[in-house]
Each structure stands twice: as structure tokens, then as C-alpha cells.
Amino acid sequence: MRPITEWLQKATGIPSELYGKLITTLICILILWLFRWLILKRVWQRTGNSLTRYQWRKISNYVAFTFAFILIGRVWLEEFHTVTTFLGIVSAGLAIAMKDPLVNVAGWFFILWRRPFDVGDRIQIGNHAGDVIDISVFQFTMMEIGSWVHADQSTGRIVHVPNGKVFVDPQTVYTQGWFDYIWNEIPVLITFESDWKKAKEILQQIATNHSGHLIPIAESKLQESPHEFIIHAPNLNPIVFTSVEASGVLLTMRHLCEPRRRRESTQEIWEAILEGFVGCADIDFAYPTSSTFTITPKEKPLPGSR
């Protein structure tokens, strides 16, 4: 390398030490890039899982950046330990001038350490809800659900949320890896004149047929729940609750549901309800009604007439 740098110095007049550092820097970057490319190629050959590929791509990127910072720092600084002194001097100024970015970096470390959610989880933070599709140093990205679209369906919009939000806004997690279900409720209002016991039996059978197969899976998931959570065993069986409203008897179906299939699940159950009630003359849906009464005033005799 020395003959090359000396030739470049004679040709351009730039010191050979600078060329040596530039060439060494390029070699370091090339080696790190090649090493990362080989690792990712191996991972791509062994698995087609998109989440695994994403995790390896992110981790390899962070590791390569860290090694590049260390190696290139040693090349360009006479004494690498001066970096610590330099960072100590400017840390106070950075804390004031870059408060929000530093908070976001701290939030990133918190997400990686405590893992309140991960890529692929469906969460709500503040007023935003969606599926987490990326977690970076300063922000995480979600595919938005809700808003003007009902039943937790995707809007097609991408929402970027600063990582610092995890310190100030509560996070609601629909899926946490070890338990992938939520409870869904469907209210069915029938008239007081209807046979509510018969209607309740029909709804109970529909709920059991629809979500009964999820119960064994959900029970095994609960048994695998992390030890840091104290979870009281809930009733996983579908059930129909009875209550009375102003316009009829309210039968509320409660059942397990996959978070991303809530709308499809509700549709399938309602279609089964409509089919189940169609042949029952003694069961009617209740709905708001109003009645109008016309009162004719009593006729009075005209003045002077008898």
C-alpha cells in the first residue's frame, strides 16, 4: 500500500498518510459489507420466514455499523480514547440541543430491552393503532387500522411514531406472541314478545360452532404465558349474556377471536344468526319504533245556534 500512497502524493500533492487512511477506510467498509452480505445470503437460503429475515437484516446492520464506527475511528484518530473525552465534553450540549432525538434513542433501547411489542404485533399507542412493520433507532412504523375504517381493518396508511412515545403514552397490544386472541362481543336485541330462551340457545350453539375450536389452542397458549405476568385463568368458552333494554331483551354473544379476523368473524356469526332466526316465527329482532296518535277536537255549536 505504501508505494501506492507515495505515488498518489507525488501526483496530487496530498500527504500519503491521508491516502492511507482513505484506502484503509474503504477496505474496512468493503470487508464489513461483504461479511454482512454473506451472512444474509446464508439466512435467505435457510429460511423464507419474513420476520426472521427482517430480524437478521436489522441486527447485521447494527453490528456492521458498530464495527465500522470502531475501526474507522481508530484509523482517523491518533488516540482512540480521545473519543470518550470528546463525548464527555459535548454531552451536556447534546442533551439540550437534541433532547427529542435522545429520548427516541432511549425509547429504542427500551423497546429492544423490555420488548413491550415487536415487529408483527398489532398495537395501539395513544390515538394510533396498527400492525408494527418496522422498528428503527428514532421511530417505529405501523400499518394503520381503524380511523374511518370499521372493525380494525387496515386503512392503507403508514404511521411513523417516535420511539419516545413509549414513555408517555400507554400501549395496548392485541397480539403478544404467546397469546394471539381477543374477546369479541356481538349484541343481539330481540323483542319482549320473543322466546328469548330459544333465541339464547340458538346463539349459544352458533358461538360454540364458530369459536369452540380455538379454546384448546388458547388454553395451551395461556399455560405458556411469561412468568413476569400474573394472569388469572379466564373463561375461554363462548357464552351468551342476558340483559334487558328499553326496547327489548339484549343477548350478548362473547367469544374468542383472532385480532386480524374480527370483521370476518362478526360477519360469519351474523350470517349464521340470520339463517338461524329465519324459520323461528316466535323470535323477532327489536328496533326503535314510534307511534302517532291523532286526536280530533270535539265539535262545538256555533254561537246563536241551538
Side-chain angles (χ1 to χ4, degrees):
M1 185 185 298
R2 187 173 185 82
I4 298 175
T5 58
E6 290 178 352
W7 179 83
L8 290 172
Q9 180 179 359
K10 293 179 181 180
T12 61
I14 299 175
S16 60
E17 292 79 6
L18 180 60
Y19 280 115
K21 292 180 178 180
L22 287 173
I23 295 174
T24 305
T25 299
L26 292 175
I27 292 174
C28 290
I29 293 174
L30 180 61
I31 292 175
L32 289 172
W33 176 84
L34 181 61
F35 188 66
R36 178 175 179 269
W37 180 80
L38 290 173
I39 292 177
L40 293 180
K41 182 179 179 181
R42 181 64 174 172
V43 172
W44 258 244
Q45 291 174 346
R46 293 179 64 88
T47 179
N49 185 278
S50 58
L51 179 58
T52 303
R53 289 181 172 183
Y54 168 85
Q55 291 173 339
W56 272 96
R57 186 170 64 250
K58 280 289 185 179
I59 293 172
S60 63
N61 189 37
Y62 295 142
V63 172
F65 177 81
T66 302
F67 274 100
F69 177 79
I70 295 173
L71 295 175
I72 296 174
R74 292 185 65 87
V75 170
W76 286 93
L77 295 177
E78 294 293 335
E79 297 181 3
F80 190 69
H81 63 80
T82 57
V83 174
T84 305
T85 305
F86 173 75
L87 292 178
I89 295 174
V90 301
S91 60
L94 287 175
I96 298 174
M98 302 182 65
K99 174 180 175 296
D100 291 338
L102 290 176
V103 171
N104 291 332
V105 173
W108 176 64
F109 280 112
F110 175 79
I111 294 172
L112 295 182
W113 173 46
R114 290 295 301 168
R115 308 192 76 82
F117 54 84
D118 206 341
V119 173
D121 285 338
R122 173 165 290 190
I123 70 169
Q124 178 174 344
I125 180 167
N127 296 325
H128 301 288
D131 297 319
V132 180
I133 58 177
D134 184 48
I135 299 174
S136 59
V137 178
F138 296 103
Q139 64 186 17
F140 61 91
T141 306
M142 299 190 301
M143 177 67 75
E144 185 188 45
I145 63 172
S147 190
W148 70 86
V149 179
H150 299 292
D152 297 336
Q153 293 287 288
S154 174
T155 66
R157 299 192 302 184
I158 300 295
V159 181
H160 302 285
V161 183
N163 290 334
K165 286 291 185 181
V166 299
F167 296 129
V168 294
D169 290 337
Q171 302 108 53
T172 303
V173 184
Y174 291 66
T175 56
Q176 191 63 51
W178 52 271
F179 192 74
D180 299 326
Y181 304 99
I182 59 174
W183 277 267
N184 188 33
E185 292 191 353
I186 300 177
V188 180
L189 187 64
I190 61 176
T191 61
F192 287 112
E193 295 77 20
S194 299
D195 187 344
W196 64 270
K197 291 184 178 180
K198 179 180 179 181
K200 187 171 183 177
E201 291 177 358
I202 294 174
L203 296 180
Q204 182 67 56
Q205 186 61 45
I206 292 174
T208 302
N209 293 340
H210 181 79
S211 62
H213 66 283
L214 300 177
I215 297 174
I217 305 174
E219 288 177 344
S220 63
K221 290 288 186 180
L222 281 177
Q223 294 175 359
E224 299 171 3
S225 62
H227 297 296
E228 61 264 26
F229 299 126
I230 300 177
I231 300 177
H232 299 285
N235 181 14
L236 301 177
N237 296 308
I239 189 170
V240 180
F241 293 97
T242 307
S243 60
V244 176
E245 300 291 328
S247 55
V249 179
L250 181 63
L251 303 175
T252 303
M253 304 172 64
R254 177 179 169 87
H255 65 99
L256 280 178
C257 174
E258 297 177 19
R260 293 180 176 85
R261 293 197 70 255
R262 192 165 74 90
R263 192 168 202 171
E264 291 84 352
S265 174
T266 301
Q267 173 183 259
E268 293 170 2
I269 289 179
W270 266 115
E271 289 178 351
I273 293 173
L274 294 174
E275 293 175 356
F277 284 2
V278 70
C280 301
D282 52 352
I283 301 177
D284 293 309
F285 290 106
Y287 50 88
T289 58
S290 60
S291 301
T292 302
F293 298 92
T294 303
I295 301 177
T296 303
K298 185 178 180 182
E299 295 183 358
K300 296 182 179 180
L302 295 175
S305 61
R306 295 182 179 275

